[in-house]
Structures are given as structure tokens and as C-alpha cells.
Amino acid sequence: MKNISVMFLTTCLLGFNANAASILEGDRSVPVESTNGMVVTSHTLATDEALKVLKEGGNAIDAAVTAAFALAVTQPRSGNIGGGGFMIVSNDKNGQVDAIDYREKAPAKAYKDMFLDEDGNVNKDLARFSHKSAGVPGSVAGLALALEKYGTISLAKALAPAIRLAEEGFVVLPRFTKGTTSQKKRLSKFESSKKVFFKKDGSAYQPGELFVQKDLANTLKRIAEHGAKEFYTGKTADLIVEEMQRHGGYITKDDLANYEPAIRKPIHGTYRGYDIFSMPPPSSGGIHVVQILNMMENYDIGKLGHNSAATIHVMAESMKRAYVDRSAYLGDTDFVDVPTKGLISKEYAKSLIVPLSDKATSAKTLREGDAPAYESSETTHFSIVDKFGNAVSNTYTINFSYGSGIVVEGAGFLLNNEMDDFSSKPGVPNAYGLIGGDANKIEANKRMLSSMSPTVVKKDGKNFLVTGSPGGSRIITTTLQVISNVIDHNLNILAAVSAPRLHHQWLPDEIRVEEGFSPDTIHLLEAQGHTVTEKSAMGAIQSIMIKEGTFYGGADPRRSTSKAAGF
């Protein structure tokens, strides 16, 4: 928790004034305010480049694609072209809300037991830090699709800032140095990674020094010249396949050529009169954000009080029940039947949580509910709105910080290790402690389950809240807490983003909390039978609230490089 800055304390003292006025950019104790456009990302340079697009007349989708590619250069630990993600696009003018699924896919050679050793146990190094741990990347195809369908600028123009930042370099900030230093062993395992992230003498780039990525710049130039297809069928594809062949990876030219993103119908729920739109499977996020909110709606959370023991009890009990269902039901709907309508129905939620004992429910006693079958850790998020009524909520990832740690030789970008998000062995937890079932077993060409939850909340048909977060299994609970903070407790957006968070995911059977909760509150929860454990900060949720034509941006102080900016 010590990585939350002193500004977090300032926010706690000042940020809870719902009528806080706009002040000079750079003071992060109140929300940034604007009326023409707003960008909130986890890196200052990405925010700046995306804001330029809005100022030049581009829309939120143009700015989002620009930001995503800029993050791939300036924040390689999570920004990426070697991973995948999800995007929600919402338009006030026509009422349309779409979900773009550009999640990675398993290669055609993938099979159920590919990460099990001869004793039937999961080989964690193979599943997480090898060439076999990489899924077929979707970011380039997904971002290009978003721009083609909803944007107004060319892909080449959206790529230009990223190309410049890679070719000319950018000034390293302390968080960058801390990240590469902490992961030096993993990033030095392969020469292709070592020569990108460390100087010739093996030392890390220090704050204030210039970080140049020539190979990545050349890759981005090829995509700008030839389009997204270059990544999947051109020289970049050849470099990926050659990397796989040198080290026993499974991705082939056919896997890359056959990859396609998908436009899906978003999950839609309601909460106290607000409409919630989030990602459908292979995200578990949308379903369970709505499911948990549905359970919470049976109790007067506002009256119980913000982060009171009574509120936390209701939230934790709701969270653990949703995570039981996540393990049992969720997977890629192209391969398994997920009872989505049942899982997000208010009647089902009520049956799970009403009545609620004043004592904690033991995780050992919980099993998935009978959901009516109506129908067959390092990630980064950004939120953008424009004057045309567009809102974009985007979360994308390479899974772990720096993914697999493997840079594609000659291409300059990191491979994801998303194959670990499958259930390598049903019933055995993955790196985030999540228990998976058969619905999320490894299968060829299947998308692995994700907790990413880009979300747009609407009020009376208009965009109201744009939000989402990194954080692995904690993405779902981080996102719903910001929604509750705004709707139930009337916090301004920066206060809602900055407030201390909690998390329960069924197993392990504990309420995980950040620093900042009252000791009295923790004692009350323990008296109810909860195990409460204080651990490091959760998520980095970049959010925008829209009220009466004004945009309020809240950049999460848990990331020192986060920035909200508008004009």
C-alpha cells in the first residue's frame, strides 16, 4: 500500500466535496473539468497525444486508438500490440452501445492438458513464462476495427504519435525504472528482451534518460503503411512465427491470418435507475459487475454508509457469490453455453442474497446457484469522451506486468502470457487465485476468460459514467465500487476513484482491503466472522463522469503516471 502517493491522502480530505470546482491542471486533489472533451489514461504522454486528437476535431474513438498505440510505446508493462482487450463504444446521439472483443485466442495447436507435467500438475513456468503461454494477439486488429467502424481519422494518423515516441524516444519516469528493475531477471532471460529494456552494460534506464525503441517503431511504421493486415500476414507475422519456431511456441502464420476481432452485444443491467453497459463473455466482468450490483440493490447501501462494516458485509457476501458462479459458468460463448440472462436477472440475484445473515458465509458452504438458462494483474484502462456524444471505455492487457517477458526478436514488442487465463487444470487456481472450471478449459482457437470490465453507465439515455480498471481478478470489484461510490454515496469522480477498496473472490476466503479502512470497521467485520487482510493497492481505475454537459475526469492516484486532461 505504500505506493499510494501522498496525494491520495489529500484526495481523501478534499475530494469528497461533490461540488468541488475546477482548478489548474496538475492539482490532482479534485477532478479535472472540461466541456469539449476529456481523456483519462494511465500515462501522461498517452493522455496528451489523445487530447491533441480531440482538439483537432477527432472523436473519442480516434483519440482512443491513438492513446492505445501510444501506451504500447510508453507503458510496455501493460500497453501493447502483443496482447488483446475489450472496448465499449457508446453514442448519445443514436443510443447505440457496442462491445468490441479483441481478446487473444488460443493457437490451433493448443490442447486441454498442454501445461500439465507427467504427474498431472500445472507447470506454472510453462503456462506463464514460455512461448507456449502466448495467445494470438488481438490488439492491432481490434483497434483498427474500432477506427474503421466508428472513427474519422486514418490508422496511419492514429499511429503517428506512437511511431514518433518509439523512434525518437521518450523521457523515462520513475515508475518505468522501478518496473524494469523489479522484473530484471525475467526480462533478461531472453536476449531479445534484455537488449530492449536494458542498456548495453545491463543497467536499467534511469529517470530523465531517453528510451528509444527502433524495432517497435519499424513495426508500427509497417502497420501504418500496410494496415492491420501487416501484423497478421506481413513481415511482422513472419517475425512472430520465427520467434515461435526458435523456442517451441505454437502460434503459426495460419493462426495470425485467421484472427478476427468481434463486435458483440454488451451486457446490459440496471442499478437504482441507471443503465449499466459492460463486456459480455469472454469477459466475466460485465456479467458479474451487474450480478453483484443486483445483489447489492436489495439493501440500502447509501443509508448503510460508505465503507461502513454493514456496507462491506453486503458487498463481500455479494462478491463471493458471484465468483462462485464465475468459476462454474463462464467461458467463451463461441465454445460453451453461458446462462447470461439468468446470471444477470434480478430475481436470481435476490435468491442468492436475501435473506442475508449478519454473519459471514463460509466459502466452503457456497456452491453455484441454479442460474436460469435463458440462453445457450497488469492491465491498463483508459476512458475518453468527446463533444459529439461519444464515450469509449477500453481495457487491454498482456496479462502479467510485461506479459511473458519475451520480446519478439526484430519486432520490438512483448508477447502476452494470456494462456494462463484458461483453466489449465479445472479446480486449480491461476496466477490470480481464480478457480476455473471446464467452461474455461484450453481449446484450440478459443478465447480465454477475462475479468476486464470496461463499462459505461447511462442515466436517462445519456452517458453518465465511463470507467474500468486493471487488476486481474480485482477488476470486477474495483469497477463496481466506483459505480457504487458515485450512485449510492454521491461522491465526485476523483473521490470515488481514490477511496480505499475491498475485494472478495470466494477463494481464498478473505476480504482483501487496502490501507485506509478504520480499525473499528475491521474489528466489526471480524466479529461477524470475516477474515480481513490488508494488502497492496488494487487497480488503477481511470474514470469520467458527465453531469449537465460538463466532463469530470478522475485519474487514479494509485498510478503515479496517470493523468486526466480536458479542454
Side-chain angles (χ1 to χ4, degrees):
M1 272 306 301
K2 305 306 179 185
N3 62 339
I4 293 185
S5 66
V6 174
M7 187 55 69
F8 174 75
L9 299 177
T10 307
T11 301
C12 290
L13 293 173
L14 300 180
F16 286 79
N17 176 7
N19 297 311
S22 175
I23 58 176
L24 294 175
E25 180 178 292
D27 186 332
R28 295 169 66 186
S29 61
V30 299
V32 176
E33 182 178 322
S34 75
T35 55
N36 291 307
M38 177 69 68
V39 178
V40 191
T41 84
S42 57
H43 198 286
T44 57
L45 293 175
T47 294
D48 291 343
E49 296 299 340
L51 192 65
K52 288 178 187 176
V53 173
L54 294 181
K55 287 181 175 179
E56 292 170 359
N59 67 19
I61 298 85
D62 301 326
V65 175
T66 301
F69 281 117
L71 284 166
V73 176
T74 60
Q75 192 170 287
R77 66 197 297 159
S78 51
N80 70 85
I81 60 172
F86 302 130
M87 181 185 290
I88 296 288
V89 180
S90 175
N91 185 283
D92 273 352
K93 302 297 174 65
N94 59 22
Q96 185 174 349
V97 184
D98 288 335
I100 302 177
D101 172 6
Y102 59 98
R103 181 66 160 155
E104 302 92 332
K105 282 188 173 183
K109 291 182 180 179
Y111 57 96
K112 180 182 176 182
D113 298 331
M114 61 183 284
F115 295 129
L116 301 187
D117 62 22
E118 59 185 16
D119 296 321
N121 298 315
V122 178
N123 182 328
K124 294 180 180 179
D125 284 340
L126 191 64
R128 301 171 187 177
F129 304 119
S130 76
H131 288 72
K132 288 185 175 70
S133 68
V136 182
S139 289
V140 173
L143 295 171
L145 174 64
L147 196 62
E148 178 184 350
K149 186 168 178 63
Y150 309 99
T152 67
I153 66 175
S154 67
L155 182 60
K157 185 171 183 179
L159 278 159
I163 292 170
R164 185 186 73 251
L165 289 165
E167 189 165 46
E168 299 177 6
F170 63 91
V171 175
V172 168
L173 297 175
R175 183 170 180 252
F176 184 97
T177 302
K178 183 178 180 181
T180 55
T181 302
S182 67
Q183 298 296 327
K184 185 173 183 178
K185 182 177 180 181
R186 179 150 58 95
L187 292 173
S188 299
K189 181 179 178 181
F190 293 92
E191 187 62 31
S192 61
S193 305
K194 184 178 180 180
K195 69 182 181 183
V196 167
F197 289 106
F198 301 99
K199 292 181 279 190
K200 289 184 178 180
D201 64 0
S203 63
Y205 288 88
Q206 297 300 309
E209 294 182 339
L210 202 63
F211 184 65
V212 177
Q213 301 167 86
K214 293 291 187 182
D215 284 345
L216 179 57
N218 290 332
T219 295
L220 296 174
K221 285 179 182 178
R222 291 193 297 271
I223 297 170
E225 181 178 358
H226 302 290
K229 64 181 181 180
E230 195 285 327
F231 186 91
Y232 297 93
T233 60
K235 181 178 178 180
T236 304
D238 291 337
L239 292 171
I240 294 171
V241 173
E242 289 167 9
E243 181 73 24
M244 291 290 149
Q245 291 174 341
R246 280 193 297 270
H247 300 281
Y250 283 167
I251 297 175
T252 66
K253 274 297 275 289
D254 284 344
D255 289 323
L256 290 163
N258 292 334
Y259 182 87
E260 290 185 359
I263 296 178
R264 303 186 187 276
K265 182 180 179 181
I267 296 297
H268 176 219
T270 63
Y271 185 64
R272 306 192 198 281
Y274 292 80
D275 288 285
I276 314 294
F277 293 92
S278 193
M279 278 303 301
S283 167
S284 64
I287 285 176
H288 295 309
V289 165
V290 170
Q291 184 185 21
I292 296 170
L293 289 172
N294 282 345
M295 285 187 265
M296 290 168 53
E297 197 171 32
N298 290 282
Y299 300 90
D300 192 343
I301 300 296
K303 186 176 180 179
L304 293 177
H306 181 255
N307 278 351
S308 68
T311 291
I312 294 171
H313 177 64
V314 172
M315 294 179 76
E317 291 295 313
S318 300
M319 290 172 183
K320 66 175 71 172
R321 286 159 172 77
Y323 278 84
V324 173
D325 281 351
R326 184 189 190 277
S327 173
Y329 292 119
L330 269 291
D332 183 352
T333 49
D334 290 340
F335 285 76
V336 297
D337 292 331
V338 176
T340 302
K341 289 185 179 179
L343 289 168
I344 66 174
S345 72
K346 292 188 182 293
E347 294 81 5
Y348 176 62
K350 186 174 182 178
S351 74
L352 294 177
I353 203 70
V354 178
L356 181 63
S357 169
D358 61 358
K359 296 295 183 182
T361 307
S362 170
K364 295 178 181 179
T365 68
L366 287 174
R367 296 292 182 270
E368 69 272 15
D370 186 13
Y374 287 100
E375 59 184 29
S376 319
S377 229
E378 182 83 24
T379 301
T380 191
H381 177 87
F382 55 81
S383 297
I384 301 177
V385 296
D386 64 29
K387 63 184 178 182
F388 309 112
N390 295 298
V392 174
S393 180
N394 187 90
T395 314
Y396 69 158
T397 186
I398 46 177
N399 200 20
F400 289 10
S401 184
Y402 304 100
S404 63
I406 301 168
V407 168
V408 175
E409 180 68 45
F413 63 86
L414 284 159
L415 290 168
N416 68 81
N417 57 350
E418 295 292 357
M419 293 297 289
D420 185 60
D421 272 358
F422 282 116
S423 298
S424 296
K425 183 178 182 181
V428 175
N430 70 1
Y432 298 101
L434 289 170
I435 305 295
D438 282 331
N440 190 40
K441 67 184 178 184
I442 301 173
E443 295 182 74
N445 302 309
K446 185 179 184 180
R447 287 178 164 95
M448 58 290 293
L449 192 60
S450 171
S451 295
M452 291 185 290
S453 313
T455 300
V456 173
V457 179
K458 299 186 119 180
K459 179 64 173 175
D460 300 325
K462 299 295 184 181
N463 295 327
F464 169 71
L465 179 63
V466 187
T467 192
S469 180
S473 61
R474 295 161 312 268
I475 291 173
I476 296 168
T477 52
T478 295
T479 302
L480 74 90
Q481 282 172 87
V482 168
I483 295 171
S484 176
N485 287 345
V486 169
I487 295 175
D488 290 318
H489 306 295
N490 197 32
L491 302 189
N492 75 42
I493 192 58
L494 189 56
V497 161
S498 303
R501 296 176 189 143
L502 66 124
H503 173 75
H504 202 305
Q505 63 180 50
W506 176 41
L507 295 172
D509 192 358
E510 65 181 19
I511 300 176
R512 172 175 172 168
V513 298
E514 295 181 330
E515 185 178 0
F517 286 87
S518 164
D520 290 341
T521 298
I522 293 174
H523 291 153
L524 288 170
L525 290 166
E526 289 173 338
Q528 290 179 284
H530 292 287
T531 297
V532 182
T533 306
E534 185 180 295
K535 293 185 179 179
S536 59
M538 292 181 270
I541 193 161
Q542 316 297 343
S543 305
I544 300 170
M545 185 165 65
I546 306 168
K547 295 181 73 173
E548 299 176 350
T550 300
F551 309 138
Y552 300 89
D556 198 323
R558 293 164 181 81
R559 291 287 185 273
S560 60
T561 53
S562 297
K563 182 178 180 179
F567 76 105

